Amino acid sequence: TPVQAAEILHASRPFLIKLLDGGQLPYRRVGKHRRIHMEDVMNYKQTIDQEREAVLDRLVEDAQEQDMGYD
């Protein structure tokens, strides 16, 4: 369910609904309810975690280049 997916992603339900409506995360409808495959949620989580790691790595590199005391 969207509530469970939001908990896994550590996000709010409204944020998750925006992801679903924006096509960033696939889902299907069962009646009025949205259903999301766990595999899709985990793939999305892995993707955003990798992007976050890449950004942090760039920040560390920039700090090292500017001799900010990070080794």
Side-chain angles (χ1 to χ4, degrees):
T1 66
V3 171
Q4 293 167 321
E7 288 175 3
I8 290 169
L9 296 175
H10 303 289
S12 67
R13 186 184 162 283
F15 177 79
L16 180 79
I17 297 301
K18 287 180 185 179
L19 292 177
L20 298 175
D21 291 344
Q24 295 171 294
L25 197 54
Y27 70 96
R28 63 186 174 93
R29 285 206 174 261
V30 177
K32 292 183 177 182
H33 305 282
R34 294 177 174 96
R35 294 294 179 251
I36 310 153
H37 286 280
M38 178 62 78
E39 182 179 345
D40 293 331
V41 173
M42 297 311 291
N43 287 340
Y44 180 79
K45 183 174 179 358
Q46 182 179 14
T47 300
I48 60 173
D49 286 348
Q50 288 172 344
E51 291 173 2
R52 184 179 300 118
E53 276 294 316
V55 168
L56 290 173
D57 288 344
R58 281 186 294 224
L59 287 172
V60 168
E61 287 175 18
D62 289 346
Q64 289 173 342
E65 287 174 5
Q66 295 178 20
D67 197 27
M68 296 179 78
Y70 296 99
D71 293 325

